[in-house]
Amino acid sequence: MKIIVTGGAGFIGGNFVHYMLNKYNDYDIICLDALTYAGNMETLEPVMHNPRFKFYKADIADRNAVYEIFEKEKPNIVVNFAAESHVDRSIDNPSIFLQTNVLGTGVLMDACRKYGIDRYHQVSTDEVYGDLPLDRPDLFFTETTPLHTSSPYSASKASADLLVQAYHRTFKLPVTISRCSNNYGPYHFPEKLIPLMIANALYDKELPVYGKGENVRDWLYVEDHCSAIDLIIHKGRVGEVYNIGGHNEKTNLEVVKIILKELNKSENLIKYVTDRPGHDMRYAIDPTKIHTELGWLPATKFEDGIKKTIKWYLDNKTWWQNIINGEYKNYYERHYKGR
Ligand code: NAD
Ligand code: DAU
């Protein structure tokens, strides 16, 4: 079995590469990644000498490069994690989100059609459903909830999902799509809420909470996302969408306070800053389908996952300090200064 994992130098893709190489000793994993600001070879350093792992630096929107890799590798399965993934950056500069998330997905599926494939899996997001109101805790996203996007990021991900479904219907491409809630865990790029708050708290820097901190996210430990995708690519029904989430809703303020408590830091570090434009209020996944059809359940509770995550950031300071001391500094200045 040979699997192409795109975006494998990023947060979830990197965790998936490690997960699959550990779980299967007869699978070859081929990583295809453009190494944007979010891609990091240090994440893949532990597997670079594994004979069952190969890395290609390539852009999924570069048709010639992608076709060349498919021609050479002839993969059985493609799992597409490659994306521009940060909502705030999509508000600053939408066009790269369309280029990678929509056009790149199209190129990958064309390659799958041209060279033949057993399964193309699109890693999508719960953000394609828009948001839910805070005063309706009875409402959840199911796979039939209409797409209703808020940011250029989520609009690009929803567009890609529609394209994937069109390639299934029109060209009979054997596809699956998963839509997951917010992940957290090792190798998470420090622009995102949880690693940003851990890093800032460790430096006694202000913790910038958007608006009132009342927005709700449904947090899932990254390894549980990997186990769900593993099940879907092997046992999921072709043409289907599967929601992934563990019923673990928390307000942003709750999450930030848990991190401060774990690190024994003062809540005075919290600074309320100007809200994100178009900020989604609440995400909440109904994971009934993947549970009943495929038997998937998350293994890690938030109380344990957040402790493991904080420990990872404490034990791997070089990994994230190399990022925050690089180009990321300029992004941070631009995004947060005077906010
Ligand atoms: P990330 O930003 O950490 O990593 C993205 C990776 O894709 C990086 O390695 C980057 O170099 C690579 N990449 C970007 N553009 C590329 C291109 N044109 N060609 C090849 N590689 C390219 O993202 P993540 O948080 O790991 O998210 C991975 C996927 O999961 C995304 O598709 C995202 O939409 C989806 N998702 C993320 C979450 C979450 O909580 N992070 C939740 C649900 C779904
Ligand atoms: O739901 C899945 C999505 O989760 C993925 O599709 C995205 O790729 C991923 O980035 C994530 O999107 P969010 O916008 O929910 O994640 P982020 O970490 O950027 O923000 C989480 C919440 O924290 C959100 O309500 C905004 C808030 N926030 C974020 C940052 C970076 C702050 O209050 N302060 C901050 O500095």
Side-chain angles (χ1 to χ4, degrees), residues 11-12 83-88 124-128 141 151 153-154 157 179-183 188-197 200 207-219 251-253 256 271 273-276 279-281 283 285 328 331-332 335-336 339:
F11 165 45
I12 310 175
E84 288 293 333
S85 69
H86 195 35
V87 172
D88 291 328
S124 185
T125 168
D126 60 0
E127 296 200 15
V128 299
F141 298 135
S151 69
Y153 163 69
S154 55
K157 293 295 290 184
R179 296 183 180 143
C180 190
S181 59
N182 286 63
N183 286 213
H188 203 178
F189 194 86
E191 69 191 348
K192 307 284 168 56
L193 180 78
I194 288 184
L196 185 145
M197 297 300 165
N200 281 17
L207 307 195
V209 170
Y210 298 165
K212 296 184 190 144
E214 63 189 354
N215 307 63
V216 170
R217 296 293 182 265
D218 184 357
W219 294 97
T251 67
N252 294 337
L253 205 50
V256 170
K271 184 184 177 209
V273 301
T274 309
D275 210 350
R276 172 186 279 175
H279 198 172
D280 281 338
M281 285 316 299
Y283 302 144
I285 283 279
Y328 177 73
Y331 165 78
Y332 196 90
H335 188 66
Y336 291 101
R339 186 167 182 153

Side-chain angles (χ1 to χ4, degrees), residues 26 61-62 68 71 95 98 103 105 109 116 157-158 184 199 204 212 214 218 224 231 245 253 263 280 290 315 323 329:
D26 54 350
D62 179 342
E68 221 172 89
E71 170 108 51
S95 64
L98 305 185
L103 299 181
T105 297
M109 286 189 302
K157 293 295 290 184
Y184 67 102
D204 293 310
K212 296 184 190 144
E214 63 189 354
D218 184 357
D224 286 323
L231 268 178
L253 205 50
L263 290 172
D280 281 338
I290 188 167
D315 292 345
I323 297 171
K329 255 191 187 155

Side-chain angles (χ1 to χ4, degrees), residues 98-152:
L98 305 185
Q99 170 76 13
T100 289
N101 300 1
V102 186
L103 299 181
T105 297
V107 168
L108 284 175
M109 286 189 302
D110 284 341
C112 290
R113 285 186 64 211
K114 186 170 161 71
Y115 295 99
I117 199 87
D118 296 330
R119 180 67 63 89
Y120 172 87
H121 182 73
Q122 177 73 1
V123 180
S124 185
T125 168
D126 60 0
E127 296 200 15
V128 299
Y129 299 123
D131 63 350
L132 297 163
L134 291 182
D135 61 356
R136 289 293 307 275
D138 55 312
L139 295 181
F140 296 91
F141 298 135
T142 72
E143 289 79 359
T144 56
T145 300
L147 305 188
H148 187 78
T149 55
S150 312
S151 69

